[in-house]
Amino acid sequence: MARPQTLATWMTSHERASKEVIRLVQHAWLLLFAWLASPSPFRVLADTSDSQLLLQASWAAQVGWNSATDMCNWTGITCTAEQATNIELSGLGLTGSLPDAWSQLSGLNWLHLSNNSLTGTLPSVWSGLGGVKEQGDSSTYLDEVYLDNNRLTGTLPATWASMNLVSGLSLANNSLRGPLPAAWSNLTETSYFSLEGNQLTGTLPESWSQLAQATVCSLQDNQLTGTLPSSWTNDSKVVVLSLQGNKLSGTLPPTNFERVEYLSLQDNFFSGHLPLSWITAPAEETPAGETPLQYINLASNALTGTLPVGWSGYSKLKFLSLHDNQLRGTLPSSWSSLTNLAYLSVESNNLTGSLPMSWSSMGSLQYISVAANAFSGDIPGSWSNLSQVQVAKFDDNGLTGGIPSMANMTFLNATSNQLSESLLHSLPASIEVLYLSENNIASTVPKVSLLPPGLTILDLSNNLLSGTLPSTLPANLAILNTSNNHLTGALPRAWSRLAELKLDNNMLTGKLPPEWHTWGSNTSNSIQLSLGNNRLRGSMPQQRVQQFCLATLKNFSVQTLYTPSPYLFQLFLGESRGQELDPITVVPTGSPIVTVAQHASIVVTLNGKLNSFTYSDPASICSIPHAVRNVALLWGIFFALLLATVIGVKLYLRNKARLSSSVVAAKFEVMFNHTKLHLPKRVVEAIHYFLLDIVYSSIHKSLMQ
């Protein structure tokens, strides 16, 4: 009877348990439906606070984040309602990768991690941080993402196309690669867009012209190829477009620029003519006959044709660079209407003709370069009206006459022309750097009264200068080159203060003044004294020659014993300079050039070739006195005898079987076994250093007497 009772009891308990399981399952389904019905179900998948999410960054400890303190007091964190809204950690030297967990920071608005050392890839799961808001969704979405100047790698995630609420996105100066995702055209709210300085490849997507709000688009310094889509210039709202430093090719789009103000296409492979149509059909916001372009950089391409006369309509243009192309023809006189232009360079083209007088009305010019063309004729005197010009480059042309005095000019390069000596009498007082080599200047070296008082660099080489050298120079002059002229007379005493002086290939005579023997002692920078092919006699600057000899001795004799010198010495005394050498190269003493010091930071160059100086080669200048040689010889003999003795003892011990009964041999064996044969090495090193120290000291004292 017990069994039926037990069975009934079991059935009752089983029925009760089944009902309990069913009830639990029902509750679970209700909870699931409630969760799915919530506004952002996946954001509350895990009950994880923002502080816990932030702590998953590998650099958390580096910036002092820890769970024991309030998140809102952490470095770089701004909070609202217990949510991290802004993260500002730029320039803190952070390392590590970008945490995937940060995709759950539902209240994040700013993320600034620029100028760190972050590595790894861009997390594709971050795509939900800046997505489209649904009706009734009060969540804050990511607005700015600045990850520039790090070490990020990998490709651009196509999933980030859903971050269409981000207004600022900068991934510049990383190591990102791969193509530009066409899907990123969905970033319709992005106004600042920078991917410059990466390794991106592929072509420019036509669809990116749909970036409706993008006003700044910088893709410079990548490896992009293909052509520039015409839709990028007239269908978009881009104001700043920078594509320089890529491998783009083809012709420039003939469409107009409706809104572009800044256009940089430098260092590409564009070809063809400069489009005249760029200034037609202006945008509605621009008054008729005007274009918004203010900056055009088309330098270093393969552009051909002439300079469009119609570009005179760029009334707002401030910067125009066309250098290093294959442009031809003349300079349009109508460009004189570009009165806002501050920078103009047509350098290194095939332009011809004369310089337009009408350009004197370009009163805003601060930089002008017409160098490396085939211009001829005089530089118009009316250009003296260009009072704002600070840098003027006329070099490598066929210009004649003089240089107009531009009141604020500080840099003038007129090398390789046919200018006359009259220009030396009309130099503006503001000039600091003046290059006039390779002209037809037949005059004497100008006196101090004729030279600008602030002059620091003066190059008059390869002209027809004659007469003697003036006794004084402008107070700030540091570099002077008057080589390859017809100068005569002696070397002025006061000239010894110059850091760099080139007087080669003249007819100078006499000895070096006493002040010249301490050449360069008043500066810690590199110095150069070049006196080759004159009629000078006596000796070279003694102080520098002695330094040269000592440095050579250190380099070849005791380089392991003494700290390497910071100097790189170059001594030219023979007829040939020989082979140019790298500072770390060691060559035998006596070569035409001897370079020393493993990490030279200061270059000392002395050139006295083809003169009548006392010594004609480094070997005789740096010869070791006989007394020192005798001391070195004695120490050498002693060192050789000691080394021979040690070798003899070692050979003697190898044959110890014959001497097994010898007490003396046993003592020798015990001694050498105890030192584990280190004794010979120690003896060699000690005597080596001791010997070289004595030799070096002796030579040093001899040369300094």
Side-chain angles (χ1 to χ4, degrees):
M1 296 296 294
R3 180 170 299 187
Q5 184 179 4
T6 303
L7 180 60
T9 303
W10 178 84
M11 292 180 64
T12 302
S13 60
H14 179 70
E15 182 179 358
R16 189 183 304 113
S18 299
K19 291 180 179 179
E20 186 66 25
V21 171
I22 292 173
R23 186 165 54 254
L24 291 175
V25 171
Q26 290 174 340
H27 283 299
W29 278 106
L30 289 174
L31 289 173
L32 178 60
F33 285 129
W35 172 66
L36 290 173
S38 63
S40 301
F42 294 99
R43 296 198 176 195
V44 295
L45 178 62
D47 186 15
T48 306
S49 65
D50 280 9
S51 61
Q52 292 175 316
L53 295 173
L54 292 173
L55 287 173
Q56 295 191 36
S58 58
W59 61 81
Q62 184 179 349
V63 292
W65 294 353
N66 62 80
S67 57
T69 57
D70 186 358
M71 175 186 66
C72 296
N73 294 326
W74 290 356
T75 300
I77 300 298
T78 302
C79 292
T80 301
E82 298 301 321
Q83 284 188 321
T85 56
N86 298 338
I87 300 178
E88 174 56 77
L89 296 174
S90 300
L92 297 181
L94 304 180
T95 57
S97 58
L98 302 174
D100 288 349
W102 283 18
S103 61
Q104 300 180 47
L105 294 173
S106 58
L108 195 59
N109 185 239
W110 290 356
L111 177 58
H112 294 180
L113 298 175
S114 305
N115 302 303
N116 285 293
S117 300
L118 300 175
T119 55
T121 60
L122 301 174
S124 59
V125 295
W126 282 18
S127 57
L129 287 175
V132 178
K133 287 186 178 181
E134 298 179 359
Q135 187 174 4
D137 187 359
S138 59
S139 301
T140 301
Y141 286 82
L142 196 58
D143 183 57
E144 295 181 2
V145 181
Y146 292 148
L147 301 173
D148 49 284
N149 296 294
N150 280 285
R151 301 176 184 175
L152 300 173
T153 56
T155 59
L156 303 177
T159 57
W160 280 29
S162 63
M163 300 171 64
N164 63 328
L165 296 179
V166 171
S167 65
L169 177 60
S170 179
L171 303 173
N173 300 316
N174 282 284
S175 298
L176 301 171
R177 52 182 174 79
L180 303 175
W184 279 27
S185 61
N186 191 48
L187 301 177
T188 54
E189 297 296 324
T190 304
S191 60
Y192 180 87
F193 194 84
S194 178
L195 295 173
E196 66 183 66
N198 282 285
Q199 302 169 22
L200 301 173
T201 56
T203 60
L204 303 176
E206 186 87 27
S207 60
W208 277 32
S209 62
Q210 301 172 16
L211 297 174
Q213 301 300 324
T215 56
V216 176
C217 181
S218 178
L219 299 172
Q220 68 183 50
D221 299 323
N222 280 285
Q223 301 175 26
L224 300 171
T225 56
T227 61
L228 173 60
S230 59
S231 59
W232 277 47
T233 60
N234 63 348
D235 291 341
S236 69
K237 292 186 178 180
V238 172
V239 174
V240 175
L241 179 59
S242 181
L243 299 172
Q244 70 182 51
N246 281 286
K247 300 178 180 179
L248 300 173
S249 58
T251 59
L252 299 175
T255 54
N256 65 294
F257 290 92
E258 293 187 355
R259 297 175 179 84
V260 175
E261 298 178 5
Y262 179 107
L263 176 65
S264 181
L265 304 177
Q266 180 181 354
D267 291 317
N268 280 286
F269 300 103
F270 289 110
S271 57
H273 293 190
L274 300 174
L276 176 61
S277 56
W278 280 6
I279 66 168
T280 62
E284 295 179 1
E285 298 86 352
T286 307
E290 293 187 3
T291 177
L293 276 168
Q294 298 181 28
Y295 182 106
I296 300 178
N297 190 346
L298 301 175
S300 301
N301 281 283
L303 299 172
T304 57
T306 60
L307 302 177
V309 174
W311 278 25
S312 58
Y314 287 150
S315 58
K316 294 184 178 181
L317 195 62
K318 297 179 180 179
F319 183 103
L320 178 59
S321 180
L322 300 171
H323 68 77
D324 290 286
N325 280 287
Q326 300 170 26
L327 300 170
R328 55 183 173 79
T330 61
L331 299 177
S333 59
S334 61
W335 282 19
S336 59
S337 63
L338 302 178
T339 55
N340 288 314
L341 196 62
Y343 182 104
L344 173 61
S345 176
V346 293
E347 181 177 336
S348 299
N349 280 284
N350 300 316
L351 299 171
T352 57
S354 59
L355 303 180
M357 294 180 59
S358 60
W359 280 24
S360 60
S361 63
M362 301 167 70
S364 298
L365 270 181
Q366 299 177 23
Y367 180 105
I368 182 170
S369 176
V370 296
N373 282 285
F375 293 117
S376 58
D378 291 355
I379 302 174
S382 60
W383 280 29
S384 59
N385 294 332
L386 302 177
S387 58
Q388 299 302 313
V389 169
Q390 299 178 21
V391 176
K393 299 179 67 177
F394 301 106
D395 46 298
D396 294 312
N397 282 288
L399 299 172
T400 57
I403 301 289
S405 180
M406 304 176 192
N408 290 301
M409 184 164 54
T410 60
F411 180 100
L412 172 62
N413 189 347
T415 298
S416 299
N417 281 285
Q418 301 175 27
L419 301 176
S420 64
E421 61 273 12
S422 60
L423 65 90
L424 297 177
H425 302 281
S426 59
L427 295 173
S430 57
I431 285 187
E432 298 175 3
V433 178
L434 181 59
Y435 292 101
L436 296 174
S437 64
E438 299 180 44
N439 279 282
N440 293 325
I441 301 175
S443 174
T444 58
V445 177
K447 297 181 179 180
V448 176
S449 58
L450 295 177
L451 293 174
L455 195 64
T456 59
I457 298 176
L458 175 60
D459 188 350
L460 293 170
S461 62
N462 296 283
N463 278 289
L464 302 174
L465 298 177
S466 59
T468 59
L469 303 176
S471 59
T472 57
L473 293 170
N476 295 322
L477 192 65
I479 298 176
L480 174 61
N481 186 353
T482 59
S483 59
N484 297 294
N485 281 285
H486 305 295
L487 300 172
T488 57
L491 302 174
R493 294 174 178 267
W495 286 31
S496 62
R497 65 173 180 79
L498 296 175
E500 182 177 319
L501 175 61
K502 295 181 180 180
L503 296 171
D504 309 74
N505 301 311
N506 281 284
M507 295 179 286
L508 301 171
T509 57
K511 296 182 179 181
L512 269 66
E515 293 82 358
W516 287 49
H517 287 283
T518 58
W519 183 274
S521 59
N522 60 338
T523 179
S524 59
N525 299 319
S526 299
I527 59 174
Q528 182 173 359
L529 174 60
S530 190
L531 304 171
N533 198 15
N534 279 282
R535 300 172 184 175
L536 300 169
R537 55 189 175 83
S539 60
M540 291 287 284
Q542 295 178 0
Q543 184 184 65
R544 291 304 181 186
V545 171
Q546 289 170 359
Q547 287 181 333
F548 165 82
C549 295
L550 290 175
T552 303
L553 175 67
K554 283 186 179 183
N555 196 55
F556 297 111
S557 300
V558 289
Q559 58 181 352
T560 60
L561 188 61
Y562 294 95
T563 303
S565 168
Y567 289 91
L568 186 159
F569 289 83
Q570 295 180 328
L571 187 60
F572 306 147
L573 296 169
E575 292 187 0
S576 173
R577 292 192 175 190
Q579 181 182 4
E580 294 294 339
L581 300 170
D582 188 82
I584 63 172
T585 303
V586 175
V587 297
T589 305
S591 298
I593 299 179
V594 178
T595 63
V596 300
Q598 296 178 355
H599 302 285
S601 59
I602 301 174
V603 179
V604 178
T605 302
L606 301 178
N607 180 5
K609 66 176 185 177
L610 297 176
N611 278 283
S612 299
F613 288 118
T614 305
Y615 299 108
S616 59
D617 64 271
S620 59
I621 289 180
C622 300
S623 60
I624 303 175
H626 292 291
V628 178
R629 289 179 180 175
N630 293 336
V631 173
L633 179 62
L634 291 176
W635 278 105
I637 294 174
F638 173 76
F639 174 75
L641 290 175
L642 182 61
L643 183 61
T645 302
V646 173
I647 294 174
V649 172
K650 290 177 63 177
L651 293 174
Y652 178 73
L653 291 176
R654 287 181 181 178
N655 201 13
K656 62 181 179 180
R658 300 179 181 178
L659 302 171
S660 58
S661 60
S662 172
V663 177
V664 176
K667 289 183 178 180
F668 273 115
E669 183 177 1
V670 170
M671 180 182 68
F672 278 88
N673 286 338
H674 178 69
T675 58
K676 297 183 179 180
L677 298 181
H678 285 301
L679 181 59
K681 182 178 180 181
R682 293 175 182 175
V683 171
V684 169
E685 288 182 350
I687 296 178
H688 175 70
Y689 292 147
F690 182 56
L691 171 64
L692 293 180
D693 188 33
I694 291 179
V695 172
Y696 172 76
S697 300
S698 301
I699 297 175
H700 183 276
K701 292 178 180 178
S702 174
L703 292 174
M704 287 303 176
Q705 289 178 353

